[in-house]
Amino acid sequence: MSPSEQFVDAQSSSGIVRQARSDSVKRRPKDRKAQISAAAAIAFSERGYPAVSVDDIASAVGISGSALYRHFPNKYAMFRHAALELTEALASALDVVSVTPAATDAQRLREDLIAVIRTTIRNRRTAGIYRWESRFLEADDRKSVRAQASAVNRRVARHLSRSDPAMTAREKTLVVAAMFSVIGSITVHNLLLPQRVMEQVLLEACLAIDHGEGATTASRLEQSSLPRTVTTNKRERLLQEAVRLFDSRGYHDVSIEEIAAAAGLNASGMYRYFPSKAELLGAVFYRAADRLDLATAAVFDSADSHEEALRSLSAMYVELSFAQHELMSVYFSEMNNLLPSHRSDLKNRQKLYVVEWARVLREIRPELSAVEAKFVVHAALNLVPDVGRMMKFDAAAENAARLQMFMSAVLFGRQAASTVSTRRGTSAS
């Protein structure tokens, strides 16, 4: 008998029988709840709440669904736990930041940001859950998560170099939110860098936002440049209504019948244009990608320098995102619901788009490696859905100008040429 077996008493007709039983049957790991929580957070972060089932999470942990219910009563409880755990991890990381009493605001801000960056890197596969919490958390839980996030935001905002009396609380909130968006951008791609280099790339981008580089040249958004149109084309109406409904309620909670009715058709009428809801979603994505490609080509055709091209690309991206924020929101949030062939094709197009920006960026900042440049581009692009959502995609010129300022700061950096030796030669700590 193996050492891992133990004896138990069992009643039989002939008396007490000693039976051997393996520890593996009786004992459960003490950290089982933590294992479930981690698996759930990864699944929700990468695939979104509706696409994940309890069985998916149980399978990832190697247990049955009934065993999982011993720790969490339902799927929502796991989602809530994951969302709260992320903000709690950030708060805990800031709690242990240690600086001397004589430290300057700049030193304190740097240490706070490093703590947030390292926590996000450790939780890279799960931190993307922040994109889903506003849609799927119940009102009270959403309020709790946002209260925790706001407390973390305020703690970092205390040390902003631009915290002069003229800067409103709202402006400080947006600056820190932009920094957190830069840090959170690592959850939307799987590019790799040594941790020390990754920390410093993200830190430099955050500090550039704090210093407000690029503010003087941010262009203004023309609110009427891309108006919402009313069309009598039935296919176009279906696309417009699908975007509106997917954005407000999510792909899984919208039926084909609802889309058709909103467009003034019956379900059979919709099938004349799209064979399935998945094909309709694919058409929505290709619409967004095509418009982005056309606008990008126009920028490159008209730009006279790499710097002008990069600033114009930023202005175009903000303009397009604000003018079609429902379409862009669906584009960012529903990728995993695409048919596999569409998803693969569109992800490749996304990668090529980032490569185009990174190529221009390296002409301006040759000290960046190809991978570092892509990190910076992802950080700049990530600002638009994150900060734009906080602005409610209000197309007021000051909102667009502020967002373009953040993007310019991240892309052009703080005296980029003079900081390369610091990044290459020292740790972020």
Side-chain angles (χ1 to χ4, degrees):
M1 185 173 298
S2 71
S4 65
E5 293 179 332
Q6 60 182 217
F7 285 101
V8 295
D9 292 336
Q11 188 73 40
S12 73
S13 58
S14 58
I16 301 296
V17 179
R18 303 282 283 173
Q19 293 181 336
R21 182 176 63 192
S22 171
D23 278 350
S24 62
V25 174
K26 176 67 176 176
R27 295 182 179 176
R28 291 189 294 271
K30 293 181 180 179
D31 64 345
R32 177 68 83 202
K33 184 171 183 177
Q35 291 177 353
I36 295 170
S37 174
I42 290 171
F44 293 140
S45 177
E46 295 179 346
R47 296 161 54 194
Y49 181 74
V52 178
S53 69
V54 169
D55 287 341
D56 291 336
I57 298 168
S59 177
V61 181
I63 60 176
S64 66
S66 59
L68 185 149
Y69 286 123
R70 297 190 187 106
H71 303 279
F72 292 97
N74 51 43
K75 185 175 80 165
Y76 179 79
M78 288 184 279
F79 184 76
R80 176 185 180 276
H81 181 83
L84 288 167
E85 196 170 46
L86 177 61
T87 52
E88 288 167 357
L90 292 174
S92 297
L94 290 172
D95 283 341
V96 298
V97 170
S98 177
V99 294
T100 65
T104 65
D105 276 344
Q107 291 168 329
R108 293 174 187 274
L109 177 64
R110 181 185 178 88
E111 294 304 317
D112 282 351
L113 290 172
I114 289 171
V116 173
I117 289 168
R118 289 178 176 168
T119 301
T120 305
I121 291 174
R122 281 197 302 273
N123 295 279
R124 186 175 184 181
R125 292 192 65 190
T126 63
I129 200 168
Y130 80 89
R131 289 183 177 80
W132 307 102
E133 51 99 17
S134 63
R135 176 171 287 179
F136 300 114
L137 280 179
E138 294 174 1
D140 287 345
D141 293 331
R142 184 162 61 248
K143 188 180 297 184
S144 297
V145 170
R146 289 182 176 176
Q148 288 183 339
S150 295
V152 170
N153 184 297
R154 288 193 299 272
R155 289 174 64 170
V156 176
R158 290 180 302 186
H159 308 306
L160 292 176
S161 67
R162 296 190 289 165
S163 298
D164 55 75
M167 194 177 187
T168 67
R170 173 66 173 171
E171 288 169 338
K172 293 177 185 178
T173 297
L174 288 175
V175 169
V176 177
M179 293 176 174
F180 286 0
S181 175
V182 162
I183 297 168
S185 68
I186 64 172
T187 67
V188 303
H189 62 82
N190 56 8
L191 296 168
L192 296 176
L193 282 172
Q195 178 161 331
R196 177 182 60 80
V197 179
M198 192 188 307
E199 288 175 6
Q200 197 64 28
V201 168
L202 296 173
L203 178 63
E204 287 179 6
C206 290
L207 294 177
I209 289 174
D210 179 49
H211 284 262
E213 296 294 329
T216 58
T217 55
S219 60
R220 294 168 66 87
L221 176 66
E222 295 297 332
Q223 297 181 52
S224 61
S225 58
L226 287 169
R228 182 180 179 92
T229 58
V230 178
T231 179
T232 57
N233 182 289
K234 292 178 182 178
R235 187 179 189 277
E236 290 300 307
R237 287 211 310 272
L238 285 167
L239 287 171
Q240 288 182 0
E241 294 302 329
V243 166
R244 182 181 63 80
L245 290 168
F246 291 157
D247 177 58
S248 63
R249 291 165 49 198
Y251 174 80
H252 285 278
D253 288 338
V254 176
S255 69
I256 285 179
E257 290 76 13
E258 288 175 301
I259 298 170
L265 302 171
N266 55 34
S268 61
M270 176 174 157
Y271 287 121
R272 297 192 189 104
Y273 301 95
F274 302 102
S276 66
K277 188 170 75 165
E279 289 286 353
L280 174 56
L281 181 66
V284 166
F285 271 64
Y286 279 107
R287 166 65 55 82
D290 289 345
R291 289 182 178 177
L292 193 56
D293 287 347
L294 287 172
T296 301
V299 167
F300 281 120
D301 286 344
S302 60
D304 293 326
S305 68
H306 295 298
E307 181 173 337
E308 181 186 345
L310 203 54
R311 293 192 187 278
S312 296
L313 284 170
S314 299
M316 173 274 295
Y317 196 76
V318 172
E319 177 183 351
L320 202 61
S321 298
F322 271 60
Q324 304 176 114
H325 63 87
E326 291 173 330
L327 176 59
M328 299 301 279
S329 175
V330 172
Y331 190 79
F332 287 119
S333 63
E334 303 292 355
M335 176 69 76
N336 286 306
N337 292 312
L338 287 167
L339 295 172
S341 59
H342 290 168
R343 183 165 61 247
S344 176
D345 181 38
L346 284 157
K347 283 190 173 182
N348 285 334
R349 288 179 68 168
Q350 285 181 342
K351 290 177 181 177
L352 291 174
Y353 186 68
V354 170
V355 167
E356 280 190 286
W357 281 55
R359 176 183 59 79
V360 178
L361 179 60
R362 292 191 71 204
E363 293 291 340
I364 301 166
R365 298 179 60 183
E367 79 280 0
L368 294 174
S369 70
V371 178
E372 288 171 348
K374 291 176 187 176
F375 264 82
V376 172
V377 169
H378 274 294
L381 295 176
N382 202 55
L383 287 164
V384 179
D386 284 352
V387 181
R389 186 163 51 244
M390 290 187 68
M391 296 173 169
K392 302 184 185 303
F393 291 99
D394 178 358
E398 60 269 21
N399 286 339
R402 181 175 294 278
L403 194 42
Q404 289 170 36
M405 178 194 74
F406 291 155
M407 292 186 75
S408 292
V410 170
L411 292 167
F412 291 97
R414 300 179 307 147
Q415 303 297 322
S418 66
T419 59
V420 62
S421 60
T422 301
R423 185 177 67 253
R424 304 287 189 188
T426 64
S427 168
S429 60

